[in-house]
Amino acid sequence: CRRGSRMEVVLLHGLLLLLPLAALLLYRYNATFHYFCKVAFFNCWIVAVSTLLSPFVALWGRSVENMKLLRAVILPLKYFYGIKMQVWGSEHLNIKGPYVIVCNHQASLDLIGIAEIIPDRCVPIVKKELMYMGTVGWACWLSGMIFINRHKREDAINVISQTARTMQRENLRVLIFPEGTRNQDKSMLPFKRGAFHLAVQAQVPIFPIVISPYRDFFSSKDKKFTSGTCTIRILPKVETQGLSPKDVPELTETVRQTMADVLAEMSTNHCGDQRAEQPRLPRC
């Protein structure tokens, strides 16, 4: 019996030693396992830094300035994943005053790109459900993010109106994903008009930003996650001075079409050839 017990212990220890080796081999040679490991690490990183930092940030209270800390802890992820970031047109954001940024939305990986270009005093408008995601929601709230209920139109309109007043009063910049949901297709989804109503109400410019397709190195559908290059193109501003709510539909479609054209060009060039000429947005 003792010999049998010893053999079981030896076998158990052997299996425990083999597990890390098996995991390492799977990570190296199995693309699906590799994908899930990287996605799990991404989610664990976000939860961990939110949990560790939130108590310290809470001492300063809710403030848009806390976004700098969130940005600082997200930036290193590009090195862990071997993602090279290329940003074209960053000089367009070098203006004083409030403005609205609209950006295409592909995956959670967008956080890495947003951390690369988000200016000072800029907060995203995010879905209200995020507020209830434990320490992640707490960290978002403490960083001044604006929560919107996408399922209640009246509440969403009130948030837009309040944000428009806050932008002018506090020199606030706001980032919105106008597609409203993640989209990894080659074309853009129809835009929701909230971002454009916000810009018109606040009478501030809009900066369209296009992130190149990830499909060369990331695909949730194909369970692929390798290293690669991501290009971000910041387009010239679109003025909204003098526009009224009746101009919002045309403004929305004008910006969407320009961004869709840039995305199509970047899809063709894969990495968004830096030599491609920046398109000029029409002034509305």
Side-chain angles (χ1 to χ4, degrees):
C1 291
R2 288 181 179 178
R3 287 181 179 177
S5 298
R6 287 176 182 174
M7 285 296 296
E8 290 176 358
V9 170
V10 170
L11 287 172
L12 181 60
H13 285 175
L15 287 172
L16 290 175
L17 290 172
L18 286 173
L19 281 176
L21 178 60
L24 183 62
L25 290 172
L26 279 172
Y27 183 81
R28 185 176 179 85
Y29 296 108
N30 186 285
T32 301
F33 186 79
H34 186 97
Y35 167 85
F36 281 113
C37 283
K38 284 194 167 183
V39 169
F41 178 81
F42 182 91
N43 293 327
C44 289
W45 179 270
I46 299 299
V47 172
V49 296
S50 298
T51 303
L52 291 172
L53 295 178
S54 290
F56 299 101
V57 175
L59 297 175
W60 303 318
R62 188 172 192 238
S63 171
V64 64
E65 295 298 329
N66 293 332
M67 279 296 299
K68 293 179 181 177
L69 192 56
L70 275 187
R71 177 177 181 268
V73 297
I74 292 174
L75 278 173
L77 285 171
K78 65 181 179 182
Y79 301 112
F80 297 153
Y81 289 132
I83 298 175
K84 182 181 178 182
M85 307 299 299
Q86 295 180 335
V87 180
W88 310 115
S90 56
E91 68 277 2
H92 294 309
L93 296 180
N94 295 333
I95 66 169
K96 296 180 179 179
Y99 47 79
V100 172
I101 294 174
V102 291
C103 183
N104 60 316
H105 188 22
Q106 300 179 68
S108 297
L109 212 60
D110 292 338
L111 284 177
I112 300 176
I114 294 303
E116 194 75 17
I117 53 90
I118 193 167
D120 290 340
R121 300 199 59 75
C122 182
V123 293
I125 288 185
V126 297
K127 58 184 181 181
K128 194 172 184 178
E129 292 86 343
L130 189 61
M131 187 187 295
Y132 307 110
M133 292 181 62
T135 55
V136 173
W138 190 25
C140 291
W141 183 84
L142 287 169
S143 299
M145 291 189 192
I146 301 164
F147 298 91
I148 193 167
N149 189 336
R150 299 176 299 175
H151 307 295
K152 293 187 177 180
R153 188 171 182 272
E154 187 176 345
D155 289 352
I157 291 173
N158 288 336
V159 169
I160 292 296
S161 298
Q162 292 172 14
T163 303
R165 293 191 293 269
T166 303
M167 289 179 73
Q168 292 289 5
R169 186 174 64 249
E170 300 183 10
N171 188 28
L172 188 69
R173 291 84 180 261
V174 176
L175 184 147
I176 304 177
F177 297 110
E179 290 174 288
T181 188
R182 299 172 187 177
N183 172 37
Q184 294 185 30
D185 292 339
K186 294 181 180 180
S187 60
M188 288 190 179
L189 298 174
F191 280 6
K192 298 183 183 299
R193 295 176 181 173
F196 305 93
H197 277 292
L198 173 61
V200 168
Q201 285 187 39
Q203 291 290 280
V204 298
I206 299 170
F207 283 97
I209 294 180
V210 183
I211 301 177
S212 64
Y214 299 145
R215 60 177 174 271
D216 286 345
F217 62 92
F218 175 87
S219 170
S220 57
K221 180 180 179 180
D222 299 328
K223 301 297 181 288
K224 178 176 70 173
F225 199 162
T226 61
S227 58
T229 300
C230 175
T231 301
I232 303 173
R233 290 178 63 173
I234 303 169
L235 307 183
K237 67 180 177 181
V238 179
E239 293 287 0
T240 65
Q241 285 285 342
L243 298 187
S244 66
K246 68 179 182 181
D247 299 308
V248 167
E250 182 181 353
L251 174 66
T252 303
E253 187 52 36
T254 297
V255 174
R256 182 194 173 277
Q257 189 57 56
T258 303
M259 292 176 66
D261 290 344
V262 172
L263 182 65
E265 177 189 329
M266 296 171 90
S267 298
T268 302
N269 296 335
H270 295 287
C271 291
D273 191 343
Q274 60 176 310
R275 295 169 297 179
E277 182 182 356
Q278 288 275 17
R280 285 288 175 183
L281 285 168
R283 296 169 70 91
C284 297

